Amino acid sequence: MAMFSSRNWREYPQRYRMEASRFKKSGKTYFPPRTVDPETGDTKQEMVRLPEIGKLLTYTVIRVAPSMWGDEGPYALGVAEMTDGTRVMAQITDCDVEKVKIGMEVRVEFRRIQSEGSAGVLSYGYKFVPKWF
Amino acid sequence: MAGIVGYGAHLPRHRIKVEEIAKVWGADAPSYKKGLMLREKSVPPPDMDTITLSVEAARRALIRAQTVDPKDIGAIYIGSESHPYAVKPSGTTVAEAIGATPDIHCADFEFACKAGSEAMFVAMSHVDAGHMKYALGIAADTSQGAPSDALEFSAAAGAGAFIMGKENMIAECLFTHSYMTDMPDFWRREHEFYPQHGGRFTGEEAYFATTKGASIALLKKSGMKPEDFKYAVFHQPNGKFPQRVAKELGFTQEQIDPGWLAPRLGNTYSGASPIGLTATLDVSQPGDLIFMCSYGSGAGSDAFVWEVTDRINEVRDLTVRTHKLLDENLTYIDYGTYAKFRHKIKKNY
């Protein structure tokens, strides 16, 4: 339990605010953030916040979910290309799995990601919802 | 005085109809619909709670605030009777999510359905006192109602967020009045899942006496009459109560219409009159006066007079309007799905 709450806490910048790393030399943005650009070895970077709108590139449907998400199944996990070109993987929520389509526009929303049973820590972060406004 | 420099709302997309709840409990749907003046209510899915609703509403408030740097927000207060943790604040998660930490003051407020207007009141008071440049007051709930209880037909979810400041206001607060007595009309004891209430006792002596007490005192304090206002928003535990109290105070149906959300939204508890205010601001024009009066069992009302400024035309459509969240992109669910979403089914984990 304690291990999870500390790991969760360390990931707040990316999970809560979608903070990514943009490297100086290549101009490339990585999400989740990295300390070293794997292509150039560059460590000089700036923090950028990703846009909230993207387009779904691919997805998969989870029908037999791990116990923490068992009540939510079936649900889709997808990779979207955000409007700045960065790719992000997230759960697609508020959407019937039969209605998930490659190419659909998605919006990032702040949601509860998981609960450690009824007594443990709650973790929050980004999910995709179909963009409708 | 200080006022609102940014506002935003968030609602779940899921709805359940009164008929769907009534059929499970053998209740007469037409009489509930007529008695409560309510057709359906919002339902939060399992990954939505007071914290997530607050974050989305706060982000929209920041969009409408345009130039406010989250680091300049000196306080975040969230009023709710459904904070996800018994011990661990909701406000710090919201502060972290909008990038307002660490130089900030946070507190979670509770006061039945009045917690949201308290958060707004205290946030605004800090700005007025000059303690900070901006403060964020949030009203949010994923309300509880016991299965088969009358409250189950109305207990809903939603959030409204208001960034208070003194410059570039969207609506300036001209007057406030608060009115409190010790009233045992509705309560929830520690470790209980659902609130208890006094049935008919929650009406005349509680909701109506308190709402009128605060409203009449505010009208007197401001020297204003109901007809001076373009709009009015009251706490709305159902569709009927706000309509009746408005009429008894001398306000018209046209004045309450934009913020009278309960018939389709249900009772969002702490969120009720604040979300009604967001919907009213969405349609208001510069110079309009808005009367607002919350109500929380236990019991008390916070009442406000807002004067809308020219900035409303600039900001109202920078993000989604509240009525769009209320009317569009809805998913109707059955009672089984609702019971699962609201954790009303016993399981051994």
Side-chain angles (χ1 to χ4, degrees):
Chain A
M1 290 249 173
M3 284 301 288
F4 178 74
S5 69
S6 57
R7 192 192 117 192
N8 186 45
W9 177 77
R10 284 179 221 292
E11 292 173 352
Y12 282 173
Q14 69 204 52
R15 289 184 182 275
Y16 283 17
R17 299 186 297 273
M18 296 191 81
E19 290 182 4
S21 46
R22 179 184 290 155
F23 288 91
K24 295 276 182 197
K25 216 179 269 178
S26 65
K28 209 167 172 181
T29 304
Y30 287 93
F31 185 82
R34 311 186 78 129
T35 46
V36 181
D37 185 338
E39 286 175 16
T40 64
D42 188 14
T43 55
K44 289 202 177 94
Q45 54 163 286
E46 57 172 348
M47 182 277 283
V48 290
R49 286 183 70 174
L50 297 186
E52 60 171 14
I53 306 294
K55 196 172 269 187
L56 202 63
L57 295 177
T58 185
Y59 69 95
T60 186
V61 175
I62 311 292
R63 294 184 191 274
V64 183
S67 59
M68 276 178 199
W69 295 281
D71 290 351
E72 292 183 41
Y75 57 84
L77 283 177
V79 176
E81 187 165 287
M82 309 313 283
T83 50
D84 72 342
T86 310
R87 292 174 178 190
V88 175
M89 189 173 83
Q91 186 177 332
I92 303 161
T93 191
D94 278 8
C95 186
D96 192 320
V97 291
E98 308 305 326
K99 291 189 177 150
V100 179
K101 295 274 178 290
I102 287 172
M104 73 190 266
E105 281 197 295
V106 291
R107 177 190 295 280
V108 168
E109 259 197 38
F110 193 80
R111 294 293 178 111
R112 194 187 279 193
I113 303 292
Q114 68 177 72
S115 311
E116 276 194 306
S118 59
V121 76
L122 304 171
S123 71
Y124 294 91
Y126 55 87
K127 286 188 183 180
F128 295 139
V129 296
K131 180 179 178 288
W132 65 278
F133 65 83
Chain B
M1 279 173 77
I4 297 163
V5 300
Y7 71 94
H10 191 49
L11 304 176
R13 68 182 284 184
H14 299 89
R15 299 284 185 279
I16 188 166
K17 289 186 182 290
V18 165
E19 286 85 351
E20 183 63 25
I21 300 172
K23 88 177 178 202
V24 172
W25 301 111
D28 182 43
S31 66
Y32 269 96
K33 285 172 84 172
K34 188 164 173 262
L36 297 171
M37 207 177 273
L38 184 143
R39 301 201 299 270
E40 58 199 50
K41 67 167 190 170
S42 68
V43 181
D47 59 356
M48 190 181 267
D49 61 24
T50 286
I51 289 176
T52 68
L53 284 162
S54 297
V55 169
E56 289 298 323
R59 284 179 175 164
R60 289 179 187 145
L62 275 166
I63 291 170
R64 286 203 178 95
Q66 293 176 301
T67 55
V68 171
D69 180 348
K71 297 282 182 206
D72 287 334
I73 295 175
I76 294 184
Y77 301 124
I78 302 179
S80 179
E81 45 189 291
S82 48
H83 291 290
Y85 287 94
V87 178
K88 188 183 179 308
S90 302
T92 50
T93 305
V94 176
E96 199 77 58
I98 64 167
T101 53
D103 299 309
I104 190 159
H105 184 243
C106 282
D108 289 354
F109 287 33
E110 279 190 33
F111 188 131
C113 299
K114 191 183 80 67
S117 63
E118 278 166 38
M120 294 168 67
F121 183 92
V122 177
M124 194 167 65
S125 302
H126 275 301
V127 174
D128 250 335
H131 295 150
M132 51 192 70
K133 197 169 176 193
Y134 302 110
L136 175 56
I138 302 177
D141 250 315
T142 54
S143 317
Q144 308 97 352
S148 86
D149 186 86
L151 280 178
E152 192 182 29
F153 292 89
S154 61
F162 302 85
I163 299 170
M164 304 300 186
K166 273 185 178 167
E167 291 164 13
N168 294 322
M169 285 184 272
I170 296 168
E172 183 180 1
C173 184
L174 303 183
F175 299 93
T176 67
H177 189 80
S178 291
Y179 183 100
M180 315 280 138
T181 61
D182 182 357
M183 165 60 62
D185 60 329
F186 171 106
W187 60 90
R188 179 166 64 84
R189 295 274 301 275
E190 190 90 76
H191 308 304
E192 290 290 304
F193 289 124
Y194 303 110
Q196 305 275 315
H197 57 85
R200 294 180 72 85
F201 183 56
T202 61
E204 213 58 59
E205 289 91 346
Y207 175 88
F208 290 98
T210 310
T211 304
K212 284 193 217 168
S215 298
I216 291 166
L218 183 61
L219 289 170
K220 193 175 171 199
K221 195 187 263 184
S222 63
M224 293 173 180
K225 294 188 279 301
E227 56 267 33
D228 295 332
F229 293 88
K230 177 76 179 184
Y231 300 113
V233 186
F234 294 96
H235 176 57
Q236 33 205 295
N238 49 53
K240 204 171 213 173
F241 278 24
Q243 196 183 44
R244 197 185 121 193
V245 84
K247 195 175 175 192
E248 288 177 7
L249 283 163
F251 291 93
T252 64
Q253 183 67 35
E254 290 69 36
Q255 284 171 301
I256 66 165
D257 263 339
W260 188 51
L261 311 179
R264 284 169 293 158
L265 179 61
N267 179 7
T268 51
Y269 285 27
S270 300
S273 53
I275 298 170
L277 178 63
T278 67
T280 305
L281 286 168
D282 281 343
V283 297
S284 62
Q285 292 299 323
D288 285 351
L289 289 173
I290 302 173
F291 187 92
M292 172 185 170
C293 184
S294 68
Y295 172 73
S297 293
S301 286
D302 295 319
F304 305 81
V305 173
W306 305 101
E307 184 177 29
V308 180
T309 75
D310 293 344
R311 239 191 104 224
I312 189 67
N313 290 329
E314 216 179 299
V315 306
R316 79 174 91 232
D317 286 320
L318 292 178
T319 183
V320 63
R321 290 191 191 193
T322 303
H323 269 275
K324 196 173 171 74
L325 295 168
L326 183 67
D327 298 333
E328 297 177 26
N329 193 40
L330 304 181
T331 304
Y332 287 91
I333 58 174
D334 58 18
Y335 193 89
T337 306
Y338 161 77
K340 178 177 132 178
F341 277 13
R342 301 302 290 136
H343 308 290
K344 289 173 192 257
I345 301 173
K346 262 189 201 165
K347 281 179 73 178
N348 288 327
Y349 284 94

